[in-house]
Amino acid sequence: MAEQASASNDKSVQVKLVLLGEAAVGKSSVVLRFVNNEFQANKEPTIGAAFLTQKCRLEDRILRYEIWDTAGQERFHSLAPMYYRNAQAAVVVYDVTKASSLEKAKSWVKELQRQANPNIVIALAGNKVDLVQPSESSSGGTSVDESEDEADDATATGGEAPAPSGEGESLRQVPREEAQAYATEAGLLFFETSAKTGEGIVDIFTEIAKKIPIEHILASARGNAGRPGLAGNRAEGAQSQNVNLDQNATKAKDACNC
Amino acid sequence: MATISTALRHFKEPSKEQLTHTFFSIPPALDGTLDKSEEVEGMEINAVLSLGEAVEDSYAGKLHIMSPFLAFASLDRKSVRFTIPLSTIRRVERLNARAGIYALSLLTWHGMKLVVQLTSLRPTADLFCSLLKDALKLELQRGQMKLVKSFVKTCYSEVLVSNSSSAPENEREDGSLDDQIPNSEEITYHGGLGLKFKFPGDPKKLRETSKIKLWTTYLKTHGRNLTLLRYPQYTRLVQVGLPNRLRGEMWEVLSGSIYLRFANPGYYERLLEEHKGTTSTSTEDIEKDLHRSLPEYAGYQSEVGINSLRRVLQAYSFKNPELGYCQAMNILAAAILIYMSEEQAFWLLEILCDRLLPGYYAPSMHGTMLDQRVFESLVQRCLPMIHEHFQEVDVQLSVASLPWFLSLYINSMPMVFALRIVDCFFCMGPKVLFQSHHSTLFPAILKINGEKLLQIQDDGGFLNLMRDYFASLGESAHPDSPDPRARAITNFQELLLVSFREFSIIHSIESFAKRSAIRNLRTFGRFTKEQVGFVYDALYKAMCLVPPPPTSAPPPTLFTTGDGSEEKPETRIELKTFRHLLSEVATWARDEKIVMNGFQQRIDREVAEHEFIDRLFYFWDVGCRGALSFQDIVLGLDGVMFNDLMENIEWFFNLHDKNKDGYLTKDEVLVLSESLLFIFRFEVGDAYLGAVSRFMTNAFEYGDALLPRPEPKEGEDGERASSPPPIESNQPYLNLATFRMVVLADEILESFFETDLRNSFKLVPLPEMELPISSTGLLGDIWSSIATDTNKKMFNMFTDEIGKTIGRHQVIHRPSIGRYTTLEEPKARESLLTPSMRKSASKSSLKSSAAASTSTVSTAVGDAAPRPASSASSLTVNVPSPAQLASAKSALGSVPESGSLSAMPMMKAARDAALMERTPFAIDNAQDGDEDEDDFFDDDEEDDQVLDEVDAFLEAHDSGLTEADKKVAQDLLKAEPVK
Ligand SMILES: Nc1nc2c(ncn2[C@@H]2O[C@H](COP(=O)(O)OP(=O)(O)OP(=O)(O)O)[C@@H](O)[C@H]2O)c(=O)[nH]1
Ligand SMILES: [Mg+2]
């Protein structure tokens, strides 16, 4: 129960984070990778929204991410404000193999900048880079724990889901430079990620943690007084899966499995 | 939210026809498939349904013809019902039964016999039969009859009933097919992926074998697929969970999608063919989700399942491009495809999105939003503790409930449980506005988890709790109980139990609104909750008849679902609505005529209008808003319904003391008398008339006598001092003490204020106005309701006319109080002042009543009050005869001079009013008035019996069938058709 003690010490900070982006770009997969260090080839679409938490250590601080993973389809759009209200951070995800998904991402960024918490930290994530990487890295990228049969089905039949064949870069529809330029211009953090391989996932959350005005949150949280029963039913589950954000990003996977 | 308000704004109260169609799961015809011009008119008729071979009790209810369907629902609308396409009916015969009984025998294509006894009047029954004939003919012309045989081959139930052993030999225990054992016959029935990929759940635990056995027995005797009859056992069988093999078909039948599939053969394939190669945003969205729909099910790890899912979702998006595709539909479609074929699933999806969950998946998702709000406010009202706690920790219920509703709990809880919820959902059908029936589950879930919910601190805690709870649905709800049977109850069973028992009463928005209206009352006064409920019902009924003006709040059906801060202003009713309301609760506030014309006997009921009622309205309007709230009404009734004698006298006094100075003016005394006359207007005999006239006499006598007299001053005229001083008619005149004295001087008035006034308010709902009396009539034997109100009125007029011409038309006003039926000599309560005067007045009225002649004789309605012995010799009079008027005049004449100056015109008005109230009796005078007293006496007793019968009927009316009716229904099963 050492974790719980640290959770209640004043260095623990709660950060509300929301994931936005077009349907099927991999939002839920990104969260699942971050929280459970897993990947499921056929993740059911998110209906409404899902809620997950993850604790991480940044320097001497414990951060507790409260993550709202929203539904991507356009008609769920009107529900989004319910989830991004009071969020301190947002990850806007697009799919590097789908140009239209970046357009959707841009419109989310606009909406956040206009309507969300003014201090919100926004990160742009171009997901599924494993699909556009040269074959050596993509073939080796798949770890054993992923359910292979499902992955095979998905790639074999899904009209949209391109197979990670030797075509490599040709699947890419969004050049890294273009997205990077946009992110810089809009003042966003930027990453290319793969929920499948885990590439870039921990980095997003690390960089967000660094950029967030933690002192500010702490001050306002103290005003709210403690929320006593908080850790109760989650502490144990989260304990083993703590992510140490200080770890080098490339070693993230091992770090997470501790 | 904008979408909700738009949805509400666009919300149209569904028409009665729409409601009936929805109730019977009759889907709207697809555009262009039915030629409107050749449609047969719809009609409903009272009927008693018996099932051939008498496997079930007979049920009274309503039979509807809604071409191309025949439908029936028992009176309670839940025990028994069916919806049968007319094309499945092969023979209709009129049964040769006892005289006056009109019964039909219907034979379905598979030989099931239904006997329906049409209990409406002969002409109505004839009309119904001819409509039925036309509709059947039309079905034959359209060739639907021929399609039945081939269609039913697609239904698994046919396999079940035809096989002597209950299941084909190549079936595995769960109902899926074993490829190893070849089936001798070709499979023609539709089935889902489960046949190939197995069904979810352990067949042993699901008790598949015994369920199939029970169903086979049921289906053999109660029809199946298109002809399925829903008897009480049916609902029970659904609630324990449908067996895998029948599930798809039962969903089709319950939802009514089977009728769409039947009516549109080949439509699904054509639709796909026509749109081959078409792409849209919907098809793109569908592709994204195909592999993300129940991926753990074997069928969706194979091309076969994925392709089926793609085709069904695409077909729906082609059919309804406006809605297209919404995430969550993939989950629904994937689930139902395990149990049904693509074509079946396509039509079920259509019904789901269109009928059962309207607006849920639309681009605006307004249905979802609306229901979320409804649920939130439901929790607020039903589980206020949880609501408050959630407010405190800022948790929104919708974070959990939204996904549940959109995917009907599939993928929020273990599949086997979610499927059973879907079973119940289809079975209970959509309710208007309260769209999703699983809504009852939601408060139940919260209630069961109540204590834990009060501990949660944030959204995450809430979601985790719910997830854990759903995961534990298969576990024992009472693991520590010493009773093994209690231990055997799973969490899921408990959930269903709680939701059916405690929350299914919230089945309509009306009862929900009622509960909240009652909860919002500041005080019930001295009423019980149940009584307040009756007041609400009366109010609601009145508001439906005379809706409050648009400036005030909408009728209670459209309540706001938001939190307290945006609570709508209280609904208030105006005078017109109030009159209706009062006519529901007070006997004297309605005009009730018992009409007998030789064929039927009925009660015509009308809302009374009188200044007295208006006065009551303003009296209860304590806030002077010109409108009454529910609370005002409750308090108003409270103010009169619990009083003792003295309190009631005071209440009545205050009601007439307009300026509240503790005195009635002379005018007010007259108005008060008019009020009494109004209340007594239908009392039999002139006992009450006499009482009022005595009241007036005494009031003016006492009033004058007690007027403060100026001290005779020195030198003034002594004569002048002894006579009452002149007083204006609008000056304070009579105080409460005097009024009380005057009232107590009269036995009738005393009894009125002691008990009768209080008893004239009745909160129990009024029975229907139809009195099905089997009379010795000429037109037919059974009078019962005829299809529409207009028809009823026409019929009533018609029979009245005949009745008049043959001299059997009688109208009796139902008395409001009905205690004293004869005039009595006032008892020895002598006036303090001039007893002689009062005596003379009553004497003369007694004389007049004896002389009066009238055709109508009536008597008190079963009142416990003992009839005075004198009644034998006196007549009861309904028409004021000249002599009576004279007596009234003489009563007036006895009013002391000083009062009569101003009183006369008022009294004349009062008298005219009395005359007007009684004019309906004029028609009764058609009879000769020469009958002697003995005859009247006899009639008097006869009427007594009739009225007793009326009361008996009023009581028996709700209870469906009498023993005799049941006997008739049973006999009909053996009756021969008419040659
Ligand atoms: N190759 C590859 N596939 C991915 C990656 N991330 C997600 N996917 C696949 O993309 C599909 C969609 O992923 P989800 O995580 O469900 O997408 P989402 O954004 O949450 O979708 P919605 O909930 O519908 O908004 C799934 O089949 C995933 O397996 C990735 O990094 N690489
Ligand atoms: Mg998702």
Side-chain angles (χ1 to χ4, degrees), chain A residues 27-29 43-46 69-72, chain B residues 292:
Chain A
K27 297 178 294 297
S28 304
S29 302
K43 187 95 189 52
E44 284 178 358
T46 311
D69 169 26
T70 64
Chain B
R292 309 204 283 153

Side-chain angles (χ1 to χ4, degrees), chain B residues 120-141:
Chain B
S120 290
L121 279 165
R122 179 66 185 271
T124 320
D126 279 337
L127 176 61
F128 187 87
C129 286
S130 76
L131 286 178
L132 181 62
K133 210 155 95 195
D134 292 349
L136 283 166
K137 212 185 278 164
L138 187 65
E139 284 307 283
L140 193 66
Q141 281 163 5

